[in-house]
């Protein structure tokens, strides 16, 4: 059974199994697939799954609906493609092994360029560097020590 899997770190692991029919997707609780993420509109898009074809229809969302980084109003989503709703990324999984999907998708991605079967990471979702936090913590600690010394000497 095909399913949409959320790739975005804060919601990773959530998935929506697709059956024939029409489904609403968005941040509002009344959607068939609720994605509680600020960049996803209340009623973001509609998914129509019929005759093994998955069609995505944007519902005039604020932050747009994208398939493989191309803004769409209505388009088909195929296995391995990335669906982005605002800043939330999802992948369609139809049960096909990942390497086969990537090799057949849009001319293919050379796995040795990306890593041993590891999908490329969208730069917008890279893990943040902690150096700035360390510098701020060290600077704050130095200020506290100086204040304590000043109070002791006074």
């Amino acid at each position: 059974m095909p399913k949409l899997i959320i790739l975005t770190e804060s919601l990773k692991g959530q998935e929506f199994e697709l059956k024939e029919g029409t489904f609403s997707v968005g941040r509002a609780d009344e959607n068939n697939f609720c994605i509680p993420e600020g960049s996803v509109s209340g009623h973001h898009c509609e998914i129509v799954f019929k005759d093994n074809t998955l069609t995505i229809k944007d519902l005039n969302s604020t932050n747009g609906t994208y398939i493989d980084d191309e803004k769409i109003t209505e388009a088909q989503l195929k296995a391995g493609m990335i669906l982005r709703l605002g800043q939330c990324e999802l992948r369609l999984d139809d049960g096909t092994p990942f390497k086969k999907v990537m090799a057949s998708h849009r001319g293919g991605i050379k796995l040795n360029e990306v890593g041993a079967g590891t999908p490329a990471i969208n730069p917008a979702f890279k893990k943040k560097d902690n150096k700035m936090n360390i510098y701020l913590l060290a600077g704050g600690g130095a200020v506290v020590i100086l204040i304590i010394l000043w109070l002791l000497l006074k």
Side-chain angles (χ1 to χ4, degrees):
M1 185 72 53
K3 57 187 169 185
L4 284 171
I5 301 170
I6 296 181
L7 304 176
T8 303
E9 194 64 39
S10 62
L11 301 168
K12 200 169 200 158
Q14 289 188 34
E15 52 187 55
F16 181 69
E17 195 167 294
L18 297 163
K19 299 174 184 163
E20 290 248 341
T22 302
F23 307 96
S24 61
V25 180
R27 194 176 64 238
D29 289 335
E30 65 265 11
N31 286 293
N32 299 106
F33 186 21
C34 179
I35 301 176
E37 205 280 329
S39 67
V40 176
S41 293
H43 296 92
H44 199 101
C45 69
E46 183 177 80
I47 297 174
V48 179
F49 186 51
K50 183 177 179 186
D51 299 327
N52 255 358
T53 301
L54 189 67
T55 304
I56 309 294
K57 296 178 183 178
D58 183 72
L59 298 175
N60 296 318
S61 61
T62 303
N63 294 313
T65 300
Y66 298 80
I67 293 179
D68 287 344
D69 287 327
E70 288 184 38
K71 190 170 185 172
I72 60 115
T73 53
E74 183 173 333
Q76 286 188 4
L77 182 68
K78 297 183 180 172
M81 290 180 155
I82 301 297
L83 171 64
R84 183 164 51 92
L85 310 176
Q87 293 299 312
C88 185
E89 289 191 334
L90 304 96
R91 178 175 50 85
L92 176 61
D93 180 4
D94 69 350
T96 305
F98 183 71
K99 288 182 184 180
K100 279 187 180 178
V101 170
M102 294 308 290
S104 65
H105 177 61
R106 288 198 180 184
I109 291 176
K110 294 178 182 167
L111 293 176
N112 60 358
E113 290 177 8
V114 178
T118 305
I121 297 172
N122 182 334
F125 298 102
K126 280 186 178 176
K127 188 173 182 179
K128 293 188 177 175
D129 191 358
N130 286 330
K131 281 185 181 178
M132 185 56 112
N133 290 344
I134 292 169
Y135 291 140
L136 289 172
L137 190 59
V143 169
V144 169
I145 290 172
L146 288 174
I147 291 172
I148 291 172
L149 286 174
W150 181 74
L151 289 172
L152 289 175
L153 293 175
K154 196 171 183 183

